[in-house]
């Protein structure tokens, strides 16, 4: 009889296993794939020697994660690398709005009085990342807030749509910057709580940067696995679980899977019938003969580059994807890891990571529209392409079953799911089966490589195990 069995070896599953192993429980992880990592992996997708991240690449919340920061991950090989600029948001005239460690430098990249508006907007939260991260990454009603006044103020600013927040700014640069930050959740800009998303990303840049892991995102998963094994945990790969009785007997089972998969495997019936998946990603990975030829000088020095020159254009692209249409002009989120980690490609060569948004389970090809958008801001880009790997929604789901229909967020950011994931419940990680728990990005606080879904789920499992021991 094991104490805990975890299904899925993504960062949340590994974190859940670690948290329970640290408390003295036996933890065993089962992974269907040949390797570990879920959305945090690194592979040669294009040509030999070019190492790409099939999904997540940049980790602004990971570097500030309370779960990760409580672990000795550096001892297991994790090293964060940070570009000079966290984010560049270029415009057709070669200028760019910037997001950097410095609030002053970020403010100076905006137009006119918008810089002062930006400073005032962020000022109440600077230097308070640890308390804020604890308060908005843990379940709000389970633990008392560390900074109740700061959290309340953040909530008042963050709960409205980002379209409201953008009204504070007069110029297009600041509006486009905030629209791009909010666009990471693949939802229209009038969606409630999108202001909070943009503020978290901005604050994360000022407090911890938007780093990548040296060698690729696989380094995060490998470090978590190394620490789990150090604690006595075990990991099995290449084991596809179809039914709960195929797993070893255990006191608790934790699923780092989609709610759909957890319900199917554990026999939970229609427990998650109200859960909704969202729009999808269309992702391309490039092997390049040289660096991306950005027209904006600042973009050459940024780890992440957003491509969408106006808030209106970004919103149009997001609305198209959510409403079931491929955007004619996609909003693109790009990462250029070899700007700061040349080990990811042969000498003098580069890897480039980019995705846009398309409808759920879309079967078309957005490659031409993506490359046309890149060429707007980097003329001559196509001439540098040595190889490309194209991943539409079917390919994303085939690579990672949690990305149902290509939904890399594992659940739509809309309606009650913006705050209550996977459904409204005082116990968001529990299921109708008393020994089965869910810890994937479908649960609070949602997507991102930060391990906090696993961390929070492990607390729920620990409380159940302790109650059973007392009985």
């Amino acid at each position: 009889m094991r104490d805990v069995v975890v299904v899925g070896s993504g960062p949340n599953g590994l974190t859940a296993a670690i948290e329970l192993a640290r408390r003295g429980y036996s933890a065993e992880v089962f992974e269907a794939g040949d390797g570990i990592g879920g959305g945090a992996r690194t592979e040669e997708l294009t040509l030999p020697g070019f190492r790409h991240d099939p999904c997540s690449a940049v980790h602004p919340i990971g570097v500030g994660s309370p779960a990760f920061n409580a672990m000795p991950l550096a001892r297991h090989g994790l090293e964060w690398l940070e570009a000079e600029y966290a984010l560049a948001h270029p415009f057709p005239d070669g200028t760019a709005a910037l997001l950097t460690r410095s609030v002053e430098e970020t403010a100076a990249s905006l137009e006119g009085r918008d810089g002062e508006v930006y400073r005032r907007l962020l000022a109440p939260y600077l230097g308070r990342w640890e308390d804020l991260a604890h308060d908005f990454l843990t379940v709000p009603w389970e633990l008392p807030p560390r900074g109740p006044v700061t959290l309340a103020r953040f909530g008042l600013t963050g709960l409205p749509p980002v379209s409201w927040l953008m009204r504070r700014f007069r110029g297009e640069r600041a509006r486009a910057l905030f629209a791009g930050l909010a666009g990471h959740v693949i939802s229209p800009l009038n969606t409630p709580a999108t202001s909070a998303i943009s503020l978290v990303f901005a604050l994360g840049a000022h407090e911890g940067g938007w780093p990548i892991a040296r060698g690729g995102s696989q380094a995060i998963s490998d470090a978590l696995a190394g620490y789990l094994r150090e604690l006595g945990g075990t990991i099995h790969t290449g084991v596809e679980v179809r039914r709960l009785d195929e797993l070893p007997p255990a006191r608790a089972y934790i699923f780092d899977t989609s709610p759909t998969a957890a319900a199917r495997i554990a026999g939970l019936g229609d427990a998650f019938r109200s859960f909704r998946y969202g729009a999808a990603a269309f992702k391309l990975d490039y092997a390049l003969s040289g660096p991306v030829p950005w027209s904006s000088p600042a973009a050459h020095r940024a780890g992440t580059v957003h491509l969408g020159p106006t808030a209106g254009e970004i919103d149009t692209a997001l609305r198209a994807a959510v409403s079931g249409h491929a955007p004619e002009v996609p909003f693109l989120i790009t990462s250029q890891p070899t700007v700061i980690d040349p080990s990811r490609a042969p000498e003098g060569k580069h890897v480039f990571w980019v995705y846009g948004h398309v409808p759920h389970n879309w079967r078309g090809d957005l490659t031409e529209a993506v490359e046309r958008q890149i060429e707007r801001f980097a003329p001559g880009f196509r001439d540098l392409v040595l190889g490309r790997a194209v991943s539409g929604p079917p390919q994303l789901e085939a690579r990672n079953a949690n990305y149902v229909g290509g939904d890399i967020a594992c659940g739509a950011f809309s309606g009650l799911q913006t705050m209550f994931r996977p459904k409204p419940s005082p116990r968001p990680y529990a299921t109708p089966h008393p020994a089965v728990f869910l810890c994937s990005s479908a649960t609070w606080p949602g997507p991102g490589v930060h391990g906090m879904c696993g961390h929070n789920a492990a607390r729920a499992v620990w409380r159940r195990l302790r109650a059973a021991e007392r009985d």
Side-chain angles (χ1 to χ4, degrees):
M1 174 71 72
R2 281 76 166 171
D3 290 323
V4 178
V5 164
V6 177
V7 179
S9 68
N12 285 312
L14 293 172
T15 297
I18 287 170
E19 295 292 351
L20 290 159
R22 292 169 73 179
R23 290 173 166 85
Y25 295 103
S26 60
E28 201 161 342
V29 178
F30 288 83
E31 166 59 46
D34 294 332
I36 65 167
R41 289 178 290 120
T42 306
E43 301 173 3
E44 291 185 344
L45 298 175
T46 55
L47 300 171
F50 291 85
R51 294 185 55 75
H52 306 271
D53 293 322
C55 188
S56 63
V58 186
H59 308 286
I61 310 302
V63 72
S65 163
F68 288 174
N69 289 338
M71 303 177 193
L73 299 183
R75 191 172 75 222
H76 291 277
L78 177 59
E79 180 184 355
W80 296 113
L81 300 176
E82 188 178 351
E84 181 179 357
Y85 300 147
L87 167 71
H89 194 122
F91 302 100
D93 64 359
T95 62
L98 302 175
L99 193 57
T100 79
R101 280 289 192 123
S102 166
V103 175
E104 294 299 322
E105 189 173 23
T106 299
S109 73
L110 306 178
E111 298 164 287
R113 298 176 60 186
D114 284 352
E116 180 57 32
V117 174
Y118 183 87
R119 281 189 288 267
R120 291 199 306 268
L121 180 63
L122 273 292
Y125 316 113
L126 295 173
R128 295 177 171 85
W129 174 264
E130 289 189 10
D131 288 346
L132 273 173
H134 171 272
D135 293 344
F136 56 61
L137 293 177
T138 55
V139 182
W141 54 88
E142 288 191 349
L143 293 172
R146 290 183 179 178
V149 175
T150 302
L151 181 63
R153 183 169 185 169
F154 185 88
L156 289 172
T157 306
L159 286 177
V162 73
S163 57
W164 292 19
L165 185 66
M166 292 188 303
R167 294 175 185 173
R168 301 186 182 206
F169 301 100
R170 296 181 180 180
E172 190 56 56
R173 292 186 188 183
R175 293 173 181 171
L177 176 66
F178 275 86
L181 294 175
H184 281 250
V185 295
I186 321 178
S187 190
L189 302 183
N190 66 347
T191 304
T194 44
S195 289
I197 299 300
S198 62
L199 288 171
V200 166
F201 279 127
L203 186 61
H206 298 315
E207 298 287 354
W210 281 26
I212 64 171
R214 183 184 292 276
S217 294
Q218 185 72 53
I220 302 172
S221 300
D222 290 346
L224 290 167
Y227 184 40
L228 176 60
R229 293 186 179 105
E230 179 184 299
L231 295 168
T234 56
I235 301 173
H236 306 277
T237 58
V239 182
E240 184 176 359
V241 180
R242 296 179 178 85
R243 299 188 314 274
L244 198 62
D245 60 12
E246 294 178 350
L247 293 166
R251 299 169 65 194
Y253 299 90
I254 307 177
F255 282 76
D256 184 10
T257 69
S258 69
T260 306
R264 182 181 67 250
I265 295 169
L268 303 178
D270 60 357
F272 298 108
R273 66 183 181 278
S274 62
F275 188 82
R276 294 187 301 111
Y277 295 97
F282 189 95
K283 184 169 181 294
L284 292 104
D285 290 280
Y286 291 95
L288 302 178
S289 61
V292 178
W294 302 112
S295 298
S296 166
H300 290 270
R301 298 148 65 186
T304 300
V305 181
H306 285 173
L307 300 182
T310 68
E313 185 175 297
I314 294 170
D315 192 44
T316 297
L318 294 170
R319 287 179 180 277
V322 170
S323 63
H325 306 284
E328 293 183 9
V329 182
F331 164 59
L332 301 182
I333 298 171
T334 83
S335 172
Q336 40 190 10
T338 35
V339 167
I340 44 177
D341 185 7
S343 70
R344 298 277 297 276
E347 185 175 358
K349 306 296 191 297
H350 289 263
V351 295
F352 187 56
W353 174 106
V354 57
Y355 74 90
H357 307 108
V358 294
H360 183 82
N361 208 28
W362 190 65
R363 302 283 168 152
D365 188 349
L366 200 69
T367 303
E368 174 59 31
V370 168
E371 294 189 353
R372 190 166 57 243
Q373 179 76 323
I374 296 172
E375 286 275 347
R376 285 177 70 187
F377 301 92
F381 169 80
R382 285 190 176 101
D383 297 336
L384 302 178
V385 175
L386 301 174
R388 64 171 63 79
V390 180
S391 299
Q395 292 78 29
L396 290 171
E397 184 175 359
R399 188 175 289 130
N400 187 332
N402 283 12
Y403 301 154
V404 177
D407 176 8
I408 60 174
C410 200
F413 190 87
S414 63
L416 289 176
Q417 281 187 194
T418 60
M419 291 295 295
F420 302 103
R421 295 169 68 96
K423 61 182 180 179
S425 170
R427 300 183 300 153
Y429 308 97
T431 74
H433 192 305
V436 173
F437 297 79
L438 189 66
C439 78
S440 69
S441 294
T443 62
W444 181 267
V449 179
H450 45 63
M452 289 301 296
C453 304
H455 171 88
N456 298 338
R459 286 181 56 86
V461 174
W462 174 69
R463 287 194 295 268
R464 180 188 180 278
L465 294 179
R466 287 292 300 273
E469 291 162 1
R470 287 194 295 268
D471 294 341

